[in-house]
Amino acid sequence: MPENLPIVEQTLEQLGADTPERVAALFAKVRSEFDQAVTAVSDEVSWHVLRDGWLGRKAGVLALVTDNWLKPSGPAMKPAVGRGLNELRGHVESAIEERRKQIEAQAAERAAAAERIDFSLPGVERALGTRHLVRQTLEEIERIFLRLGFAVVDGPEIETPYYNFEALNMPEFHPARDMWDTFYVDTPAPNQLVLRTHTSPMQIRTMERQPPPVRVIVPGKVYRRDNPDASHLFMFHQIEGLAVDNDITFADFKGTIEFFVHEFLGKSARTRLRPSYFPFTEPSAEVDATCIVCSGRGCRVCKQTGWLEIMGAGMVDPAVYGFVGYDPKKVSGFAFGMGVDRLAILKYGIDDIQVLMQNDVRFLRQFP
Ligand code: DAH
């Protein structure tokens, strides 16, 4: 029973309703209470509360009106009370039923709205990962050499000193081993292992596996015991190149490198070779390309020289062929090795190589 209707718990006599007009006024009061209550109902739960409160068989308002008003009234008042009650019942029942339909319709509409697809809404944007700048650069370099007929091969990052040094013409205690600050793997004495300091060991592994002609590039990670700074990482990426056949000359080497530089840095980039030393090439050279920052005029990046060193290279030393069973009298070839991370930062004007490893998405997003 709704709280604000204490009158239905009293009899008409107690309420002093002794004329049909007073009875009608009481019914009007009850009806207006009902009208307020029914408009306040907004969902299924409150609708059930309303229905039970008004139509409940024992304690509903209409049951109380029947018990307290109709039944005790005498013949003089009974017709008026009966009429009032009938009208009230008709009104309450139809209004409650009406409200039920409205609530159901609203619920159905809400459910439909939840399922309806609004084609004008922006789509859910899923952040796609992108290839890291180093990976992009590796792939770009690979594509250039693939066009020249080079094949791409992979090799192990943990190497034996034989492949990393010895077969590259550096016997144990050879001072040239000091060119690479090497990480040694903690293994029992005769089974020494190193983290490869360069991709050059794959020259040996490739030639061991196949007779000439050889034309491969080897992208991969290399490791050196260097303290990281703006131009050093202790893990970085190289691409090794090796071309061996029975008629390869220094001119082939130069042409290949010039093609690469034009493709990678642009047609206006020029190349120069400086004599150098590597145990596994003879003659050896360092390859410089026109500084891409200042186009050769001289700047901070190229230390005012106008040139950037981009790789070590040379003609494969005949001694190396001896380690892989090639006949040094019949074959010749060139090899080169370049630092991919360094090339990436040069190409994109990045002044600290370490950003490549820090994985700051604000940096990575600049290279979609
Ligand atoms: N492996 C050398 C390095 O890491 C780079 C290099 C120089 C590779 C000359 C070569 C080469 O293939 O012929 O410093």
Side-chain angles (χ1 to χ4, degrees):
M1 204 276 304
E3 285 155 26
N4 41 4
L5 267 182
I7 51 171
V8 299
E9 294 191 280
Q10 291 177 284
T11 62
L12 294 177
E13 205 178 335
Q14 288 169 325
L15 292 163
D18 47 8
T19 65
E21 290 74 26
R22 288 191 176 159
V23 168
L26 284 175
F27 275 107
K29 162 96 176 111
V30 174
R31 180 177 171 135
S32 93
E33 283 296 334
F34 170 78
D35 286 343
Q36 278 180 37
V38 79
T39 40
V41 160
S42 58
D43 57 25
E44 226 181 299
V45 174
S46 55
W47 180 86
H48 274 108
V49 172
L50 179 84
R51 188 196 57 182
D52 294 347
W54 285 84
L55 299 174
R57 231 171 259 273
K58 286 205 178 104
V61 173
L62 294 186
L64 294 178
V65 169
T66 308
D67 290 347
N68 300 333
W69 292 4
L70 184 66
K71 285 184 183 159
S73 52
M77 297 300 291
K78 211 162 209 146
V81 179
R83 208 178 320 115
L85 179 57
N86 279 339
E87 273 174 27
L88 180 63
R89 182 180 300 280
H91 176 67
V92 168
E93 282 176 348
S94 70
I96 281 181
E97 176 60 10
E98 184 61 26
R99 197 82 188 109
R100 185 184 63 78
K101 285 183 187 151
Q102 288 168 355
I103 288 171
E104 271 175 11
Q106 280 165 7
E109 202 171 300
R110 267 197 302 274
E115 280 192 17
R116 200 176 302 133
I117 296 167
D118 181 350
F119 291 102
S120 72
L121 285 176
V124 181
E125 216 179 294
R126 292 186 209 288
L128 277 184
T130 56
R131 263 173 288 222
H132 190 278
L133 178 57
V134 170
R135 169 64 42 204
Q136 292 182 32
T137 309
L138 277 163
E139 289 178 3
E140 187 183 350
I141 297 171
E142 284 174 26
R143 275 196 298 273
I144 295 170
F145 284 102
L146 282 168
R147 282 163 59 200
L148 291 175
F150 284 75
V152 181
V153 297
D154 288 325
E157 289 170 29
I158 298 176
E159 268 296 7
T160 62
Y162 176 80
Y163 287 106
N164 199 78
F165 295 121
E166 210 171 314
L168 288 165
N169 204 23
M170 279 175 276
E172 206 175 358
F173 307 120
H174 191 290
R177 288 198 183 193
D178 294 345
M179 289 168 75
W180 298 273
D181 289 308
T182 310
F183 280 119
Y184 290 87
V185 182
D186 198 2
T187 43
N191 305 313
Q192 185 73 73
L193 291 172
V194 301
L195 298 187
R196 68 177 176 192
T197 59
H198 48 184
T199 41
S200 302
M202 276 307 286
Q203 291 187 29
I204 308 301
R205 290 184 179 276
T206 305
M207 288 188 283
E208 273 181 348
R209 271 203 295 256
Q210 65 171 93
V214 172
R215 240 182 310 171
V216 293
I217 57 165
V218 188
K221 292 185 170 73
V222 301
Y223 301 83
R224 291 192 196 167
R225 252 188 75 197
D226 280 328
N227 288 322
D229 63 26
S231 54
H232 291 85
L233 297 167
F234 53 77
M235 184 280 290
F236 56 99
H237 300 80
Q238 284 190 334
I239 289 190
E240 190 80 11
L242 175 69
V244 179
D245 204 344
N246 49 30
D247 55 357
I248 290 190
T249 67
F250 201 83
D252 295 316
F253 161 62
K254 198 159 179 263
T256 304
I257 291 314
E258 268 170 13
F259 177 82
F260 165 72
V261 167
H262 282 161
E263 293 301 303
F264 187 69
L265 296 178
K267 287 278 184 282
S268 61
R270 302 203 307 124
T271 324
R272 79 173 181 187
L273 303 176
R274 278 180 293 109
S276 185
Y277 170 76
F278 295 101
F280 33 91
T281 42
E282 182 58 35
S284 301
E286 244 144 355
V287 181
D288 292 347
T290 317
C291 176
I292 31 187
V293 177
C294 63
S295 308
R297 280 185 294 276
C299 68
R300 203 170 50 85
V301 173
C302 61
K303 301 202 181 79
Q304 311 304 328
T305 64
W307 296 96
L308 294 172
E309 186 203 315
I310 59 165
M311 65 178 90
M315 299 304 287
V316 177
D317 192 304
V320 171
Y321 296 128
F323 286 94
V324 298
Y326 282 16
D327 183 348
K329 289 191 205 66
K330 290 200 183 126
V331 295
S332 59
F334 63 82
F336 57 86
M338 55 187 137
V340 177
D341 313 72
R342 199 177 115 79
L343 285 173
I345 63 168
L346 288 176
K347 183 161 176 171
Y348 294 99
I350 298 163
D351 57 13
D352 187 342
I353 200 166
Q354 296 170 100
V355 296
L356 295 176
M357 299 298 146
Q358 287 160 349
N359 276 342
D360 184 332
V361 289
R362 291 168 303 179
F363 168 76
L364 298 175
R365 283 200 184 115
Q366 294 175 54
F367 306 96

